[in-house]
Amino acid sequence: LWSKIGQLFKSYKDSSDDSIFAKGKSGGIVTKEDIEQATEFYVLAGYSESESREKAIDYMLSRDALYQKAISEGYTVTNDEIWAYLDELKVTISQSDNAEQAQILIDQFDSEEEYWQHEFEVYQVNLPIEKYTEALQQEYYSNYAVPYSIDQNTDNIMQGYSDYLDEIKENLVASEQYTITE
């Protein structure tokens, strides 16, 4: 599985087809390649082709909408921040129980440097989203979750935040008014 996932990431990294699948009113773009790669990922995860495509579209539109909102709210990252994050990720991976699986994924690229360049591009989008969602989580816990007590079920709090974030994603996707081009 890890080899196939690595091959999937590598194959799309080498591809140059960036035809537009959807465009949001804030200027965000989801490419057909983004949808194809995400669809193949969900297929590898065991979903049917049609379910995979639906999940891929939902994921990519949500990701783009979150990114557009994060940037508009000032959640940006520098190249140095991304490389520092990736350096931490390298350590985490090397010390993890699934380090061998991660290495199989990395080995699908022509070099380890090429893999980390791919990850750099991924985290140019992911890190602003992470900063934004961390702020949303803090907001949720401050405004909506009852202050933590020993009697409180933390699973309920976490589920509440998950539902809250899902609602925000849905609203952001709706507000982007994506135009699907296919």
Side-chain angles (χ1 to χ4, degrees):
L1 176 66
W2 293 103
S3 174
K4 288 180 181 178
I5 292 171
Q7 290 169 4
L8 172 65
F9 291 163
K10 168 86 166 77
S11 70
Y12 283 94
K13 177 157 181 43
D14 292 344
S15 175
S16 62
D17 178 16
D18 62 349
S19 55
I20 296 173
F21 172 81
K23 184 171 184 175
K25 74 174 192 173
S26 297
I29 291 175
V30 175
T31 66
K32 290 179 182 178
E33 183 179 298
D34 293 333
I35 299 300
E36 290 168 14
Q37 183 179 19
T39 299
E40 288 184 42
F41 181 84
Y42 283 113
V43 167
L44 287 173
Y47 294 95
S48 70
E49 184 72 33
S50 61
E51 191 176 13
S52 293
R53 183 160 172 79
E54 185 178 312
K55 285 184 165 298
I57 292 168
D58 288 347
Y59 172 77
M60 294 309 299
L61 293 181
S62 291
R63 182 177 187 255
D64 183 68
L66 277 169
Y67 178 71
Q68 297 305 321
K69 183 65 172 176
I71 295 302
S72 74
E73 294 285 325
Y75 295 98
T76 60
V77 292
T78 65
N79 289 351
D80 288 343
E81 284 179 281
I82 297 167
W83 287 118
Y85 180 86
L86 293 177
D87 286 342
E88 291 175 21
L89 186 58
K90 288 176 189 179
V91 171
T92 301
I93 288 171
S94 71
Q95 296 173 351
S96 71
D97 291 339
N98 65 346
E100 289 178 19
Q101 289 133 337
Q103 191 59 50
I104 291 169
L105 188 146
I106 292 168
D107 289 345
Q108 302 312 303
F109 287 77
D110 292 337
S111 67
E112 188 165 334
E113 181 180 308
E114 182 185 26
Y115 171 78
W116 289 110
Q117 184 60 46
H118 163 76
E119 289 297 291
F120 178 87
E121 293 166 15
V122 168
Y123 282 98
Q124 284 179 309
V125 174
N126 284 4
L127 286 180
I129 291 171
E130 286 181 22
K131 287 181 176 184
Y132 175 61
T133 57
E134 285 172 7
L136 288 175
Q137 186 177 35
Q138 291 305 313
E139 175 186 309
Y140 176 79
Y141 291 151
S142 296
N143 296 330
Y144 301 105
V146 177
Y148 178 77
S149 72
I150 197 80
D151 299 329
Q152 195 168 15
N153 184 339
T154 56
D155 289 342
N156 288 344
I157 294 172
M158 293 174 70
Q159 184 59 50
Y161 170 69
S162 179
D163 294 344
Y164 173 73
L165 184 58
D166 287 345
E167 184 178 334
I168 287 173
K169 288 179 193 177
E170 288 175 23
N171 291 336
L172 289 174
V173 169
S175 71
E176 278 298 315
Q177 301 172 353
Y178 285 97
T179 302
I180 308 295
T181 61
E182 64 171 18

